[in-house]
Amino acid sequence: MWGSSGSASSGAGPPLPTSRHCAHCRTWRSGRSARTAGEAFGVRAVFSDHASLLAQSDIDLVAVTVKVPHHRELVSAALAAGKPVYGEWRLGRDIDDARAMAALAAGQGVPTVVGLQVRQGPAIQFLQELLGGGYDGEVLSTTMVGRQLNPAH
C-alpha cells in the first residue's frame, strides 16, 4: 500500500475481514516517515521506495492512495510486477494516463479496480449517519466542493 497521508492510507484499509494491511510504503518521504506510518497501522513491513515493496512475494494487492500526479508511475510499476492494484479515484491526470494504465493492466492480465476510498473517512461516515437518520429532511440534490490544500504537490 502506498499512501501520502494517514487519512488517505487508513481509508483504503482492508476491504474484507479476511484481508490485512501487511506492508506500507511512503514514497517521496523519508524512511522515518514510513516507520511512523507503519507503527500507526500496526504494520511491520515498511518501505520508503516502491521497488522494495513490489519485490516482496507475499504482497497480494497494492493500494495506491497517493496524489494523482504520481498514480501512473506507481500503478504501472505494480502492474509490471504482476500485482493486482486498487487505484484511488481519479485514476490519472488525464485520459491518456488512464488509458495507458488500463492497457498495461489488460496486457498483464492483472485485476484492477478504481475506487473512492475517501468514502470511508470519518467526516463522510458522520455525514452519512446524519442524512440516514433524517437529520436534514429529504435530500433532493447535493453539491460537493473540493479543494486541494497544497497544489504544488
Side-chain angles (χ1 to χ4, degrees), residues 94-148:
D94 54 33
I95 192 69
D96 292 333
D97 268 4
R99 284 182 175 151
M101 289 181 272
L104 181 56
Q108 294 285 90
V110 178
T112 59
V113 66
V114 177
L116 297 169
Q117 57 86 19
V118 78
R119 293 178 2 185
Q120 304 306 315
I124 300 300
Q125 289 182 349
F126 178 68
L127 183 59
Q128 288 175 334
E129 289 174 19
L130 287 177
L131 294 174
Y135 172 80
D136 202 27
E138 182 183 359
V139 178
L140 301 175
S141 70
T142 63
T143 300
M144 184 172 212
V145 177
R147 184 179 98 144
Q148 185 172 348

Side-chain angles (χ1 to χ4, degrees), residues 7 17 22 24 44 47 54 68 93 95 111 116 129 144-145:
S7 61
C22 62
H24 190 86
R44 283 187 260 170
F47 306 91
L54 292 174
V68 173
R93 289 178 291 192
I95 192 69
L116 297 169
E129 289 174 19
M144 184 172 212
V145 177

Side-chain angles (χ1 to χ4, degrees), residues 11-148:
L16 301 170
T18 57
S19 66
R20 64 185 176 89
H21 183 160
C22 62
H24 190 86
C25 181
R26 299 288 295 253
T27 55
W28 298 285
R29 305 257 181 160
S30 69
R32 182 177 178 193
S33 175
R35 284 188 301 279
T36 300
E39 289 170 7
F41 295 113
V43 176
R44 283 187 260 170
V46 295
F47 306 91
S48 57
D49 70 282
H50 63 278
S52 296
L53 178 128
L54 292 174
Q56 305 303 306
S57 62
D58 61 340
I59 301 297
D60 298 323
L61 170 74
V62 175
V64 178
T65 63
V66 298
K67 294 176 181 168
V68 173
H70 306 293
H71 282 197
R72 186 171 180 176
E73 175 188 358
L74 299 175
V75 168
S76 296
L79 293 172
K83 307 286 186 185
V85 175
Y86 170 93
E88 177 180 60
W89 180 86
R90 168 176 109 215
L91 179 58
R93 289 178 291 192
D94 54 33
I95 192 69
D96 292 333
D97 268 4
R99 284 182 175 151
M101 289 181 272
L104 181 56
Q108 294 285 90
V110 178
T112 59
V113 66
V114 177
L116 297 169
Q117 57 86 19
V118 78
R119 293 178 2 185
Q120 304 306 315
I124 300 300
Q125 289 182 349
F126 178 68
L127 183 59
Q128 288 175 334
E129 289 174 19
L130 287 177
L131 294 174
Y135 172 80
D136 202 27
E138 182 183 359
V139 178
L140 301 175
S141 70
T142 63
T143 300
M144 184 172 212
V145 177
R147 184 179 98 144
Q148 185 172 348

